[in-house]
Amino acid sequence: MPNSYFSKDKVIHSPDFTPFTVSWKSPSNIALVKYWGKHGRQLPTNPSISFTLSEAHTTIEMSCELKDDSENQPSLNFFFEGEKKPNFEKRIQSFLNSVSDIFPFLRQLQLNIHSSNSFPHSSGIASSASSMSALALALCDAEKNLFGEDERSSFFQKVSYVSRLASGSACRSVYPVAALWGFSRELNSSSDEYAVPVLDHLHPVFHNFKDTILVLSDQAKAVSSSAGHSLMEVHPFAKTRFELANKNLAQLLPALKKGDLETMGKIVENEALMLHALMLTSNPNYILFEPATIAVIKKVRAFRADTGIPVWFTLDAGPNVHLLYPSEEALKVDSFIEDQLLPHCIPGKSIFDSCGQGPEKLNS
Ligand code: PMV
């Protein structure tokens, strides 16, 4: 119920205020059907679905004190892995300003945020999903601390809504195992405004599905996601892309329900390559994979053909490869990865991850 998220009444009555701290851990996610293209206030042009990860996560600690200046915006000190990061701080400050219609009490607060990632900095692993969902968790938890539980909305739905405003894909990180974001006729509860949980629609084989993230390059992104999304506004293939994303989702959902790995794998690989095909054919265009990306994909396909083991790749908008496979096959796939794929990777940066249980509140 997004309308109920906005409230002018949520202001702090100073004599009642006691400083407090909230802490959360929130995971990254990997999209199976990709979100690529947006409109309005961060609304998606097609529905997407992702696995929630476990090992790749952000931890956030946010302390809240009453501030003494009369400036009408939240006051922020932001530290990433113990260091002041002016660029991150600027981005978060402008996000906080933009959500003060949802959290008016922020204007009265001095926030000190300490954030860190479980994965190495500059590893080419997208961190916005974990970091922005962690921030949204901290904000919604602070609101809950100050004003109590809002019975009109579920906590995680609101967290997902707020995460979306910070970074679209972040809204899918807040549920265990898998989440769907964007309205789809295939799922009545779906919405463009927030992600919904889809654990009940999954065959148990996916509950602990593996996602090994092979870090092939640690270069900064050639194009920001925002710039990438905006290329879709004038992309010659946009209409077809949005139709195909809906079609892929419609075929993927029953495959996820049945545990049909073959259909799932075909759709997931098609989505990854389509995302890159869109970047290759946009104006300006971008080549976001590296020779090692293609080498790894070819080896994965050959391994699958030779052994019959179901292991599939997907890609984000970058060169790194995610390998998806059932945990029952982990022994064989992990030794294939170690022997044949890790030599293509940046040493020490790859992550053997799997579907996880979603965010976790930490003791402050
Ligand atoms: O959340 P953003 O704006 O960083 O967009 C991310 C888009 C992809 O990662 C490429 C695909 C997805 O659905 O996660």
Side-chain angles (χ1 to χ4, degrees), residues 99 111 197 257 269:
V99 291
L111 304 175
K257 183 99 191 166
E269 293 193 350

Side-chain angles (χ1 to χ4, degrees), residues 29-38 42 46-50 91 126-129 163-164 166-172 181 221 224-227 229 241 271 275-276 315-318:
N29 67 72
I30 179 68
L32 308 177
V33 170
K34 308 288 181 185
Y35 149 57
W36 200 239
K38 62 181 174 180
Q42 203 94 297
N46 64 264
S48 58
I49 187 166
S50 56
R91 182 174 171 197
S127 60
S128 66
S163 305
R164 181 201 105 221
S167 168
S169 59
C171 77
R172 298 184 310 236
W181 170 41
K221 282 193 191 177
S224 70
S225 326
S226 299
H229 289 295
R241 160 61 193 158
E271 277 287 317
L275 173 68
H276 281 255
L315 308 164
D316 259 335

Side-chain angles (χ1 to χ4, degrees), residues 190-204:
S190 62
S191 167
D192 281 354
E193 311 253 15
Y194 46 79
V196 293
V198 288
L199 179 57
D200 292 350
H201 301 260
L202 295 190
H203 186 277

Side-chain angles (χ1 to χ4, degrees), residues 77-313:
N77 265 320
F78 180 81
F79 300 86
F80 180 70
E81 293 177 352
E83 282 176 38
K84 206 78 170 124
K85 293 276 177 195
N87 284 349
F88 291 175
E89 187 174 89
K90 222 165 124 193
R91 182 174 171 197
I92 290 171
Q93 179 75 59
S94 82
F95 171 67
L96 294 175
N97 296 350
S98 76
V99 291
S100 50
D101 49 355
I102 303 176
F103 305 111
F105 60 90
L106 288 180
R107 300 190 187 108
Q108 299 169 274
L109 292 178
Q110 165 69 48
L111 304 175
N112 296 309
I113 299 182
H114 285 264
S115 166
S116 61
N117 290 342
S118 61
F119 42 90
H121 187 43
S122 300
S123 63
I125 298 175
S127 60
S128 66
S130 57
S131 57
M132 293 303 155
S133 55
L135 178 61
L137 283 154
L139 294 175
C140 291
D141 200 18
E143 177 185 51
K144 197 169 130 189
N145 251 330
L146 289 163
F147 305 101
E149 192 93 60
D150 189 341
E151 280 158 23
R152 290 168 300 173
S153 67
S154 97
F155 178 76
F156 285 103
Q157 185 173 298
K158 181 163 185 180
V159 171
S160 180
Y161 178 90
V162 174
S163 305
R164 181 201 105 221
L165 298 174
S167 168
S169 59
C171 77
R172 298 184 310 236
S173 275
V174 310
Y175 301 110
V177 187
L180 185 151
W181 170 41
F183 176 71
S184 163
R185 272 179 300 200
E186 310 302 318
L187 193 68
N188 285 336
S189 59
S190 62
S191 167
D192 281 354
E193 311 253 15
Y194 46 79
V196 293
V198 288
L199 179 57
D200 292 350
H201 301 260
L202 295 190
H203 186 277
V205 71
F206 297 113
H207 291 183
N208 53 358
F209 222 60
K210 294 281 171 189
D211 175 16
T212 291
I213 310 169
L214 298 170
V215 178
L216 305 173
S217 162
D218 52 9
Q219 297 297 301
K221 282 193 191 177
V223 57
S224 70
S225 326
S226 299
H229 289 295
S230 66
L231 292 171
M232 289 307 289
E233 287 165 22
V234 290
H235 199 291
F237 303 150
K239 187 166 172 281
T240 309
R241 160 61 193 158
F242 303 142
E243 284 166 9
L244 287 175
N246 277 285
K247 194 168 151 221
N248 276 344
L249 184 71
Q251 286 174 1
L252 180 61
L253 284 172
L256 290 174
K257 183 99 191 166
K258 276 192 274 179
D260 176 353
L261 298 181
E262 185 80 16
T263 303
M264 184 215 79
K266 277 190 183 147
I267 294 171
V268 164
E269 293 193 350
N270 173 265
E271 277 287 317
L273 295 175
M274 201 184 318
L275 173 68
H276 281 255
L278 290 166
M279 296 307 287
L280 287 169
T281 51
S282 60
N283 183 13
N285 58 55
Y286 293 93
I287 301 174
L288 297 180
F289 44 71
E290 293 292 335
T293 315
I294 309 296
V296 164
I297 289 175
K298 287 189 167 177
K299 283 189 175 174
V300 169
R301 288 186 158 172
F303 175 77
R304 192 168 68 224
D306 292 349
T307 61
I309 294 176
V311 47
W312 311 89
F313 69 84

Side-chain angles (χ1 to χ4, degrees), residues 343-362:
H344 294 280
C345 299
I346 308 279
K349 293 208 168 176
S350 297
I351 299 185
F352 287 80
D353 211 339
S354 54
C355 288
Q357 293 313 303
E360 197 185 314
K361 186 171 163 69
L362 306 172

